[in-house]
Amino acid sequence: MTPFTRIGRILKDGQPGTQVDVRGWVRTKRESKGGFAFLELNDGSSFASLQVVVDGGVPGYAESMKHLGTGASVRIEGEIKESPGKGQRVEVHAKTLEIYGLADPATYPLQKKGHSFEFLREKAHLRPRSNTFGAMARVRNALCAAIHDFYQSRGFLYVQTPIITTSDCEGAGQLFQVTTLDLARLAAKQGEAVDFSQDFFGKKAGLTVSGQLEAETYACALGDVYTFGPTFRAENSNTTRHLAEFWMIEPEMAFYDLNDNMNLAESFVRSIIKDVLAKCPDDLAFFNERIEPGLLDSLHHIVENDFVRLTYTEGVEILQKSGKAFEYPVEWGHDLQSEHERYLTEEHFKQPVILTDYPRAIKSFYMRCNEDGKTVRAMDVLVPRIGEIIGGSQREERPDILVERMRESGLNPDDYWWYLELRQYGTVPHAGFGLGLERTVQLVTGMQNIRDCIPFPRTPKNAEF
Ligand code: ATP
Ligand code: MN
């Protein structure tokens, strides 16, 4: 037991008459004419701050009040009292006030309320002290717990796949290279091919773009598994939905077909949103009020209604008949742009959509080929305001077709010998998908920009902190 109490506890269960010791950061100070002051104290344990009444009789009152302001850290000992004011059940009347650290009002960046998110991104070390980022951190945490709960309660094994890898799962060349070679010396030897056998791993290595291929090996032995880890993509896309470093949850299930996969993905998304609605009511009420009006209704709508399911081909027909002037034309065989995805889920169906059976030419080599020879058993889950939040598929379990698809995608099957052996020895139908954590935080909070959905965003030209 600590000698102090977190503010969230006091606001929830604190009984008038109880003596407490509270510690936190001052959000605001209001001095009153009658020789006393109100402090709004926050310690991150709840959205709401604690009102502390400090009267002139508290030792050192005058001196403290001269210096104390927004951002200062303090310790207060006092008594919980019923609050006569609106907006809080209880408050604390201080008996002692100790200052840990002052925050100079001339330079403290979070002095006033209502900073832009762009500004706060440059203060990523202090932004968790703001309402929005405190709420974001608590919602993100609740989501992570809900994700583990969902899989753990269904008997899935949490497996850790490597962060450094030599197989580029998406085959799209978005790998951040990992090397101990002396790049400056190599640059001086221009024109010569790099000898990766001299590199740390003896061949070209990079940061993982997906743990899927390795997760498949465990699914093809243990049945139901999932990964939950950092994922890296050196894609130079400056959008509000892409990060260079993000967290992905990738369940992989033996003996699942695409339909089983869709059922799991749908109940997964609905279940974690439901959990967060239950666990973070104050934070979500804030997002609903200040960030995205209608957010709570839209989340309840997702939880309570079935997702719409249709094929990519059907989706393309709807888009072509929509009469909308899209920036990018819609044509069968091309990947859908975010504007197309959003039209389907936001405007046409007004709820999440699962699109299946994409053209094989635009999807990864490991997706199971359909009989038509033109499409694969892929699925994308599309949600309002974001577009794609999940990408998945039934995996190709037939070795000959898999090899053919690798060649078609410009990959060397020899590099994937272990992945092919899963098909050579006791192959089984299986399926899985990947959910982006930050896009899920975006969905649940209504935050516009994915850079505000992770503590320290990494994007092109930006890795400060
Ligand atoms: P998109 O087409 O939107 O760029 P993708 O098809 O490249 O995404 P997948 O490879 O299917 O993405 O990855 C699975 C999930 O991981 C996506 O549905 C998304 O939620 C998330 N994700 C993918 N790339 C990023 C990224 N750069 N930043 C944040 N999340 C991402
Ligand atoms: Mn995808």
Side-chain angles (χ1 to χ4, degrees), residues 143-220:
L143 265 177
C144 293
I147 288 163
H148 280 297
D149 281 352
F150 179 87
Y151 290 112
Q152 292 296 327
S153 68
R154 282 165 179 75
F156 282 61
L157 300 189
Y158 172 34
V159 299
Q160 292 75 31
T161 49
I163 290 169
I164 299 176
T165 172
T166 52
S167 51
D168 181 355
C169 174
E170 298 298 319
Q174 300 173 326
L175 221 59
F176 279 104
Q177 211 177 313
V178 172
T179 182
T180 50
L181 293 175
D182 183 339
L183 297 180
R185 231 188 65 207
L186 288 178
K189 293 203 286 180
Q190 260 178 12
E192 277 176 48
V194 176
D195 179 7
F196 283 104
S197 71
Q198 300 302 311
D199 203 351
F200 190 91
F201 296 105
K203 54 178 164 172
K204 202 171 173 179
L207 297 177
T208 183
V209 295
S210 162
Q212 178 202 319
L213 302 189
E214 289 92 349
E216 281 185 52
T217 68
Y218 270 60
C220 292

Side-chain angles (χ1 to χ4, degrees), residues 170 174 209-210 231-235 237 239 241-250 335-336 338 341 363-364 366-367 379-381 386-392 433-440 442 450 458:
E170 298 298 319
Q174 300 173 326
V209 295
S210 162
T231 309
F232 307 86
R233 297 201 182 165
E235 53 193 340
S237 41
T239 77
R241 310 174 312 127
H242 289 91
L243 293 164
E245 176 180 306
F246 62 101
W247 287 67
M248 188 147 66
I249 299 93
E250 296 183 276
D335 212 353
L336 297 182
S338 162
E341 298 173 342
K363 286 292 186 186
S364 299
Y366 50 73
M367 298 189 179
M379 62 171 217
D380 277 9
V381 179
I386 291 154
E388 180 188 332
I389 195 165
I390 282 180
F433 60 83
L435 170 81
L437 177 64
E438 289 73 20
R439 287 196 193 171
T440 313
Q442 256 187 303
I450 198 164
R458 268 75 181 98

